[in-house]
Amino acid sequence: MMIRKILITAPLIVALSGCGINIGTGSARGNFGFNTIRDNIQAARGRNTPQEEGAQTKLTRDVVNGINRQIVQISLSKYGTKTVFTRAAVRQGAVTYLSPQKQTVTVQGGRVIRTRGLPFDLLETDFRNDADRVYRYLNAANNITELRVSCSRETVGTEAIEIVERSYTTTLVEEVCRSSGVAFKNRFWTQGSTIWKSEQWIGPNHGFATIEKLN
Amino acid sequence: MFREKLILGAAASALVMSGPATADMDPSIGFYGTAGLIEMPTADMLPDAELSISYSEFANAENIAVGFQFLPQLSMTYRIQRLSSFGFDGGSRYDGIWDINYQILPEGEYAPAVLIGLRDFLGTGETAGQYIVATKTIADQLKLSVGVGWGRLGDTDEDQTDPDISGGSLRLDEYFTGDTAVFGGVEWKTPIKGVSLKAEYSSDRYFQENEAFIATNPPAFDRKSDWNYGLEWQTPLSLNVGIYQMYGDTVGVRIATSLNPRRPRPQGYIVPAPLPVQPRDQAARSDLSWLERPNVETVAANALRRTLAQDGIRVTKIKLTGRQVDIYVTGGRSIAAARTFGRVARALTYVMPESVETFVIGINNAGMETVTMKINRTQFEAFELSPDGVQQSARSFELGDAPLNPPGFTAFPGDFPRFRWSIRPYLNITLFSDGDQPDVNVGLSGSMSYQTSEKLRFQTTVRVPVIDGDSDSGDNAGPNESIYFTEFEPTLVNLRGTYTTKLGEQLYGTVSAGLLATKWAGIAGEIIWKPAAQRWGVGFEVGHVVRRDQDTFFELEDEDATTGHLTYYYDARNGFDYEVSAGRYLAGDWGTTVAVDRAFDNGWVVGLFATVTDLTAEEFGSGRFQKGFRIAIPLGWAIGTQTRRVIGSSIASTSGEGGSKLGIPGNLYGSVTSHQTDAVSGTWGTFWQ
């Protein structure tokens, strides 16, 4: 579980610094702080014991406000379960979010560019040419499959959305992407430069990931 | 941790997924494990690499068939056929039957698919038949097939069995000879989901069963009509069930399912996400002051230990210089070879000082250092987020042979001696080529191993049979076949020591001594030469063994054998592995074994093998040469989590020791090649996963 990962990272740093080996000073260091979230949630709910782990909990704005780390809520259309992901690393404008189940989703410029820890991971994406995009993902035989799609974008209009008890008036932008075998539509609900919510296609086995920015 | 269920309603309307424009009828499986109508074949092929398992029964015949779509145009099936109330004594007869189908032409817009097939092409003739058949799909719901048959499927009214011919050989001059007959049929995909109806006109006269020598017994059924009719239902659990009205007289059933290594299980593989690559501080790259600290290698190994333990990886030795780290690891929970390198490299970005620019990651497998991969840290950092880093890294990171005993390392030998044990159930099926009942054993198998180092291992396995359908333990010739509950008498399967080591940069060896196998005790060894980047390798194995007394644990009989083989291994890098070996087998016979495996990068292997030796047919038994197939399915594929365990089985038609190899303990070739170029490049995506 997640807790183990923090415990691992921490002694790793301790062990090294104690003996004089520096481990870099990148901005990502020490960001595996899921315990912080859980502590906050538990504090908000007036509990301090981990016995509720795994139980379904209603996420409220009070809980979100008690978390001083950037979090997002992600669900996959195939499973339909919303999971809170925590910002775990930032590098070159790419933010990697980590779930308690040790899954990560990396977002760059609002777009999902990587997934890890999911079945059939999205290994990498090539969005350098906005109109012709490449998705590379792992298939069941452990081989890389490449999918090239042609995309076009349009602004649909204004739409009000609600994310955990908070309403936003957003501009809905849609992208339609096609290839010979597949077609999908990504949707982004934006407010200024902030993307509060998006639905993005992440591969043929998963369909869509819905990402909601919580804070 | 919290989760919230969300029902995706209207949001799902964003999904505009549309599959490719193929609404073809899926091929259905007939009575004998290949695509077919009921008893008659069609020209369909199953999807490439499809592994089908089916059971059919009607009248006195039962068939359990395992079929594999070896190539998109070539399928092979092995089936065990049981004929009850057979022959003069009314007993049962069991046959191992091989069928092969080759699609000459795939179905076109107007042209039908055309296929040529051989049933029981190695058999004694009773069930052998040949055919050419054409199939066309009409309006996506109706499939018509028409064919011409020979042999069993031809217009025969004579007993095809030639008592002078013993089975197990190709009889090319007899295929497609004699009178022909026409067969055909139709399959209709009904509007009811998953339900199909079939009707066929059969060209199988059932002459022998109905009219010929079996007439002393009442015929198994009365062939009143040429027509068979069936209803098939594809159940939601990927099981297809069919019920049939056969020849106007009797009822038949057929159950079939299939798997495909390329078809994902619903849950896929779940592999915990790796650590993100840790970037470096530019300024600190020139700082080498850390080199003056004591025990830097031990410190680094300790720091890596807990991170890598999550992936089952253990550091065996490290050499740290100012700009480079050389590290060897063993273990790894993943069946995907490339993943181990990726996980170690990511961990190194957290632990290695900024000045370290090169990671050399080596693999220690069963005590042998097989390969090293050289990774440029700056590139590794850049590739993680670059749009084509997966492909670029595959070209940039070099994989090569690990050097023999490189100097300057600090070793971390691990926790030895190591004691392990396991108890698991086993199922053993032995088929005989003389029509006897197969020997089915079910029981518990207990193993213990004691390792003093990565290289030296002592092992013993004891089996306790619980159910024994042994044909020797009772009179099974008659109709009263039965399964015996045994008296729980244990068998000592093996008790042996095995030493494995790297002998040269590209040379590996193993030697075992003790009670090597159920039937043999002695000493045996193997040497393999296989450079990491080379497609082919050569192995030599030799053993001198004495026959074990089957009634006691340790006593030996007065019979010994010297056996040895030279083996050529070839990886064609198109998913096919070949193995050709020549030498002396356990019966003292000389010959050749050829094996072809269809191997997938997720660990699936389906292969065929055959052995021909200089034994005469009389000495060898009716199977003339040994042939069989093997299947290995990675447990991780089946259950969706990371494990290197493989569920494997091989079925061979056997008749004594002719053409049998000793089977050197351990899988030296597998250990040597597990992280070599072919394995790593095939699974490269998992390096980043």
Side-chain angles (χ1 to χ4, degrees), chain A residues 23-24 41 91 102 116 143, chain B residues 2 350 354 381 601 688:
Chain A
I23 67 161
I41 293 163
R91 189 157 78 88
K102 286 192 186 176
R116 296 290 182 265
N143 301 131
Chain B
F2 49 85
Y350 283 80
E354 270 83 347
E381 288 164 355
D601 291 317
W688 290 103

Side-chain angles (χ1 to χ4, degrees), chain A residues 12 23-25 32 41 57-58 78 80 82 84 91 102 114 116-117 119-121 124 136 140 143 181 208, chain B residues 2 4 6 15 18 264 266-267 269 271 273 281 307 310 350 354 381 384-386 389-390 601-602 682 688-689:
Chain A
L12 198 143
I23 67 161
T25 50
F32 292 90
I41 293 163
T57 315
K58 177 93 177 124
K78 190 175 164 191
K82 285 189 177 183
V84 169
R91 189 157 78 88
K102 286 192 186 176
R114 304 275 190 282
R116 296 290 182 265
F120 320 113
D121 272 326
E124 68 182 12
R136 295 192 189 95
N143 301 131
F208 289 83
Chain B
F2 49 85
E4 192 182 353
L6 172 82
L15 191 68
S18 66
Q267 75 275 41
Y269 293 99
V271 179
D281 183 356
T307 310
Q310 296 181 97
Y350 283 80
E354 270 83 347
E381 288 164 355
E384 191 204 20
L385 292 170
S386 83
V390 174
D601 291 317
N602 57 7
W688 290 103
Q689 199 194 18

Side-chain angles (χ1 to χ4, degrees), chain B residues 23-41:
Chain B
D24 288 355
M25 289 171 70
D26 289 333
S28 59
I29 296 169
F31 262 37
Y32 303 118
T34 50
L37 287 159
I38 304 171
E39 277 216 281
M40 298 296 113

Side-chain angles (χ1 to χ4, degrees), chain B residues 555-578:
Chain B
E555 281 174 36
L556 302 177
E557 290 182 356
D558 190 20
E559 181 193 341
D560 64 347
T562 300
T563 172
H565 288 90
L566 190 65
T567 304
Y568 174 77
Y569 302 92
Y570 181 71
D571 182 330
R573 292 193 186 160
N574 58 1
F576 285 87
D577 293 341
Y578 301 87

Side-chain angles (χ1 to χ4, degrees), chain B residues 539-668:
Chain B
F540 179 68
E541 62 183 69
V542 65
H544 183 76
V545 289
V546 183
R547 188 181 287 280
R548 290 176 59 192
D549 175 28
Q550 295 297 292
D551 298 324
T552 62
F553 274 9
F554 298 107
E555 281 174 36
L556 302 177
E557 290 182 356
D558 190 20
E559 181 193 341
D560 64 347
T562 300
T563 172
H565 288 90
L566 190 65
T567 304
Y568 174 77
Y569 302 92
Y570 181 71
D571 182 330
R573 292 193 186 160
N574 58 1
F576 285 87
D577 293 341
Y578 301 87
E579 206 179 302
V580 180
S581 71
R584 191 166 193 249
Y585 295 84
L586 283 165
D589 46 336
W590 292 81
T592 304
T593 300
V594 178
V596 183
D597 283 339
R598 180 102 193 252
F600 295 84
D601 291 317
N602 57 7
W604 267 74
V605 178
V606 180
L608 301 167
F609 56 90
T611 299
V612 187
T613 76
D614 61 357
L615 283 187
T616 63
E618 221 161 54
E619 291 166 309
F620 214 132
S622 76
R624 194 168 287 180
F625 63 89
Q626 257 209 29
K627 64 267 175 191
F629 67 90
R630 54 184 169 187
I631 299 171
I633 300 174
L635 193 61
W637 184 90
I639 63 175
T641 56
Q642 273 204 102
T643 166
R644 286 171 82 174
R645 289 271 299 282
V646 168
I647 312 160
S649 189
S650 70
I651 295 180
S653 36
T654 162
S655 42
E657 252 104 45
S660 330
K661 283 190 183 183
L662 183 60
I664 308 292
N667 173 7
L668 185 63

Side-chain angles (χ1 to χ4, degrees), chain B residues 401-436:
Chain B
D401 293 301
L404 182 66
N405 302 323
F409 278 81
T410 304
F412 305 96
D415 300 325
F416 291 104
R418 183 186 292 162
F419 178 75
R420 282 184 178 154
W421 61 275
S422 68
I423 293 175
R424 46 182 81 126
Y426 74 89
L427 165 68
N428 219 27
I429 303 172
T430 312
L431 299 168
F432 302 97
S433 54
D434 55 5
D436 274 353

